[in-house]
Amino acid sequence: MAEKGKKSKLVLILLLLLVLAGVSGGGIFLGVKLAGGKKPAQPPPPPPLKTVSLDSIVVNLADGDTNHYLRVTVVLAVPADEKLAKEIEGKKFELRDLIIQLLRHKTFAEVMKPDYPTKLKEELKQKINAYLGGDKVKEIYFTEYLAQ
């Protein structure tokens, strides 16, 4: 009888192992089936960008009682498209004028705020993209920002 008890325990253990293997295999199968057998889609890499420098710009600030000026060097990051690069190169003077007109209305106190360069980048990006017609400028960088 002791042998019969050992056999039934062995059969019971084997049945448990089979059930566990089936549940595990089913879970794996369902996971692959639910995912469509594919890896999650990766977002496409961003398009390569090209930078175009608009050189150094110096403007008098709008403080009437004192003389303050701001000097910035603006660099535009645009998609690496030769047609767009030529368009921007051809409009450099107009873009510099647009920036000068915008900056001349700023005060010394305004441009000296710690978060102002970030706000100015966004404002310039909107103005330049509106002038160029579309979302052509992806980023704006300052390689020089000096107020005095």
Side-chain angles (χ1 to χ4, degrees), residues 7-23:
K7 282 186 182 181
S8 63
K9 281 185 184 178
L10 186 60
V11 169
L12 184 61
I13 290 174
L14 285 174
L15 282 173
L16 269 171
L17 285 175
L18 282 172
V19 168
L20 284 174
V23 168

Side-chain angles (χ1 to χ4, degrees), residues 42-107:
Q42 296 291 328
L49 298 177
K50 177 181 179 163
T51 56
V52 179
S53 177
L54 297 180
D55 303 322
S56 186
I57 297 172
V58 180
V59 296
N60 290 321
L61 295 171
D63 298 303
D65 55 340
T66 58
N67 291 327
H68 290 289
Y69 71 89
L70 175 66
R71 181 171 63 198
V72 295
T73 301
V74 178
V75 177
L76 308 178
V78 298
D81 175 13
E82 285 303 314
K83 182 179 175 185
L84 179 58
K86 285 181 183 179
E87 176 186 357
I88 290 175
E89 283 292 328
K91 293 183 178 182
K92 261 189 174 183
F93 296 112
E94 291 95 338
L95 295 174
R96 286 176 51 83
D97 182 62
L98 185 135
I99 294 168
I100 290 168
Q101 297 307 317
L102 177 81
L103 293 177
R104 291 199 64 215
H105 290 75
K106 306 300 179 185
T107 64

Side-chain angles (χ1 to χ4, degrees), residues 92-143:
K92 261 189 174 183
F93 296 112
E94 291 95 338
L95 295 174
R96 286 176 51 83
D97 182 62
L98 185 135
I99 294 168
I100 290 168
Q101 297 307 317
L102 177 81
L103 293 177
R104 291 199 64 215
H105 290 75
K106 306 300 179 185
T107 64
F108 182 72
E110 188 177 8
V111 301
M112 290 304 294
K113 291 180 182 174
D115 63 338
Y116 187 72
T118 304
K119 289 179 182 178
L120 180 58
K121 286 179 183 183
E122 191 57 38
E123 189 176 357
L124 285 172
K125 185 173 144 184
Q126 289 175 359
K127 292 267 187 199
I128 292 170
N129 278 331
Y131 177 77
L132 294 174
D135 187 29
K136 296 178 180 179
V137 175
K138 301 300 181 188
E139 290 291 332
I140 291 188
Y141 303 107
F142 293 133
T143 57

